[in-house]
Each structure stands twice: as structure tokens, then as C-alpha cells.
Amino acid sequence: MPKSSAPRLSVRKTFKLYIGGAFPRSESGRTYLVDGDNVALASRKDARDAVVAARKAQPKWAAATAYNRGQVVYRVAEMVEARRSEFKALGTAGDEVNAAIDRLVWYAGWSDKIAQVAGNANPVSGPFFNLSSPEPTGVVGVIAPPSLLGLVSVVAPVIVTGNTVVVVSGGPQVAVTLAEVLATSDVPGGVVNILTGHAAEIAPWLASHDDVNGLDLTGVDDPALAVELEQAAAGTLKRVRRAGTTDFTADPGLAPMTAFLETKTVWHPKGF
């Protein structure tokens, strides 16, 4: 093609939502500017669509072997490693990218071990086996911190234990870039759904939604909003995790994983 003397206009990126493995715009058509970038502004209809996608994906994801879920989370770590320059271009420090990758690998390693730590054989009187085994809660709404390490630290423990998530992110560029990683990391569509927008607008709909089983409020920095969400979640007996001020560089322990596990206890007669 002949060279043109006219200046070339670059293609501006719109940071879209991530629902059911696809990247739709908000059904409302709304957008907002974040540091000069055009970002889709999620609505309550988008939140409902994300919950439907998460619920549809949850049974198959929970039925996968724990080892397989660990492999998938490890694959996410590989892809973040490969695309570290994109996260750094968004202002994420190299040390934080390293920590996020290490955190993903750490949780991947726990995938087939958490059941042995959180479950056990209970001593009972009588000719029975009594076994307690952890099972995923289901669909979890996550109000995520804006940083990459914070986002990974609240999403990874929820999905590695067999839950699916609907994430409301305060750091849209980082969150959507992570969504692009997830879309190429063998994570089934619907396991992770990411909504960009304002937590005060979207989170109350997740808190009161009958088909959401748990709520992680780690990214909520307004105490009044946190109380409002806890009260809304009580109407459907959701599990609620309110971590408060969190140092994401510290050892997270097992609490982020066990927060959204339920214990099933089985009695079985002993054979003779």
C-alpha cells in the first residue's frame, strides 16, 4: 500500500465487562472515564446477567477434580507472567506483579490439599464412620480492591475451592486486563465474571440477590456501605466475609479459602 502522509489515529481501547467468558458492553450503554480510559459502567441488569452466568458454570466447575482446578489457576499464573508488561504499563509495580503471580501459584498448590486440612474423620461412639468434608458454597459476590495483588488475593481462593464469582472491581483497567488473561487461561466461561463500575451502585443488588450464596466485602472501604451490604445479605442468609484493612503482602493463611466452604458430614456403617 502507498504510504500516507496523513497522521495515523491510534485505536483507543474500551475496557468492557467480562461475563460468561465474553466481553460485552454494559446493557445500559453507559461508560465512564478512568485516567483518560473509556470504561464500561455496569448496571444492575449486568449484575443479574453475571449471576446467571456464574450459576450456570458452578456445578461443572465444582465437579472438576481439585487437581484440575489447581492446574487451571496455575495456568492463570503462567499467563500473567507472560503479560506482565501490560500490567506494568497500567502502573502496577513489578514487585506487585511478582507477588500476584506467586499468590496464584500458592493457591494452585492448595487446591487438592485444603480438603485434608478443613475436613477429617470424626471419632464417634458406635460402629460408624463419621466423615466431614468441605464443599463449595456456590456463587460468591466479591467487592475487590483496586490493586492487582488485592484482586488476585480475593478471587483465587474463592475459585480454587470450587465456587464461581461475580467481581465488582474498583480498578477497572487492571481487572479487565486480568479478565483477558483468564479468557486465555483455560478458565471456563462464567467461573469468573468481572463488572466495572461503582460498588455503591452494583453491590447492593448482589447482596440481596437470591441466587448469590456468599459475599466478600474486602474491597469495601466505606463502613456505612459495608453495614448496608451485610444487612441486605442477611435476608438470604449469605456467608459474608468482611476482612477490613488487609495487608495483601502478608501470608493470607487459610481463611480466604475456608470462608466460602461448607462442611458436609456423612455417617456410614462399618463393615464386618
Side-chain angles (χ1 to χ4, degrees), residues 221-237:
D221 53 10
D222 179 358
L225 177 60
V227 171
E228 177 189 340
L229 296 176
E230 287 178 321
Q231 292 172 340
T236 50
L237 302 179

Side-chain angles (χ1 to χ4, degrees), residues 1 9-10 33 35 82 129 157 169 189 211 230 239 268:
M1 294 178 61
L9 294 176
S10 59
L33 288 176
D35 298 329
F129 293 111
S169 175
D211 212 20
E230 287 178 321
R239 289 173 174 263
H268 192 281

